[in-house]
Amino acid sequence: RSAKDEKLLFAVMIDDSSSEKPRERSIKNAAIRIFQGLLNDQSHGYLVLVDQTVQPSKSPLQASEVQATIDKIGFGGGTALFDGIGQTCSQTLGMSQNPDTPRRVLILLSDGDDNYSHLTFAKAEEVAEREGVAVFSLSEHSSSIQGAAILRQVSKDTGGRDIFANKLSDGIAPLLTAIR
């Protein structure tokens, strides 16, 4: 059944590392469209930036804040994707912080590569599963084989879905449908 009218807490995680610099414009546009597609009276969304550090928004973004916040993002440096997954699932989307929100979703806009995390992939995935966060990923087909495998596995194992498209914009509608 459709869950589009049920309460939803989500975080859009943007990999703003050097490897994603060539796709900066399409990543920013995809993030804005995802927020537009998910924000409503029953949902709240955070923005999380991941390069060598994990930088979540301090509070859920209002629709009026999304564009300006995303426009300020600069891309560069390494990627601590696994740290981002673990921290976002345990601190921002965790069950103990959000007991009244059974639907919690993490959306990864990333190539899946990680070269800076302290957490292993297995530990990050374990945290997502323990906290009951479904991970959805959206990436281009040009992702590395290893990065694509990471995105597929974390999405599958947490009850989410991985979307690979020739262009990120082509994957937004299927992503939103899968989340609903």
Side-chain angles (χ1 to χ4, degrees):
R1 70 178 174 83
S2 173
K4 70 178 184 171
D5 295 325
E6 291 182 20
K7 196 172 184 179
L8 171 69
L9 181 63
F10 67 93
V12 175
M13 182 178 294
I14 295 178
D15 174 350
D16 63 342
S17 66
S18 297
S19 67
E20 293 289 26
K21 179 79 173 153
R23 291 175 288 284
E24 179 177 352
R25 173 181 264 158
S26 62
I27 290 170
K28 288 180 176 183
N29 288 336
I32 290 165
R33 289 184 52 201
I34 291 166
F35 270 96
Q36 290 170 341
L38 293 178
L39 281 179
N40 61 41
D41 293 339
Q42 292 293 320
S43 68
H44 297 65
Y46 288 86
L47 178 66
V48 180
L49 304 179
V50 177
D51 46 35
Q52 291 103 309
T53 61
V54 180
Q55 305 151 16
S57 54
K58 295 187 187 329
S59 60
L61 295 179
Q62 302 300 316
S64 60
E65 300 173 299
V66 173
Q67 179 81 45
T69 303
I70 290 174
D71 283 345
K72 294 177 189 174
I73 300 169
F75 285 64
T79 309
L81 183 65
F82 307 153
D83 289 351
I85 293 169
Q87 287 179 31
T88 303
C89 290
S90 66
Q91 297 171 10
T92 305
L93 300 174
M95 282 189 279
S96 61
Q97 296 90 329
N98 305 289
D100 297 331
T101 308
R103 290 188 65 226
R104 293 176 315 283
V105 171
L106 175 58
I107 302 151
L108 304 177
L109 298 177
S110 175
D111 57 11
D113 291 332
D114 185 307
N115 59 8
Y116 221 84
S117 284
H118 295 94
L119 283 181
T120 64
F121 170 69
K123 183 65 176 168
E125 185 179 55
E126 178 186 312
V127 171
E129 291 173 352
R130 182 181 65 238
E131 294 295 338
V133 176
V135 178
F136 290 78
S137 57
L138 175 60
S139 190
E140 291 184 352
H141 285 295
S142 61
S143 295
S144 72
I145 293 171
Q146 181 179 350
I150 293 288
L151 296 175
R152 278 190 186 97
Q153 184 174 344
V154 72
S155 296
K156 177 182 166 250
D157 291 349
T158 61
R161 183 163 172 218
D162 61 298
I163 309 281
F164 289 89
N166 291 327
K167 297 186 310 184
L168 288 181
S169 59
D170 295 340
I172 295 169
L175 174 77
L176 295 173
T177 298
I179 293 170
R180 290 186 192 114

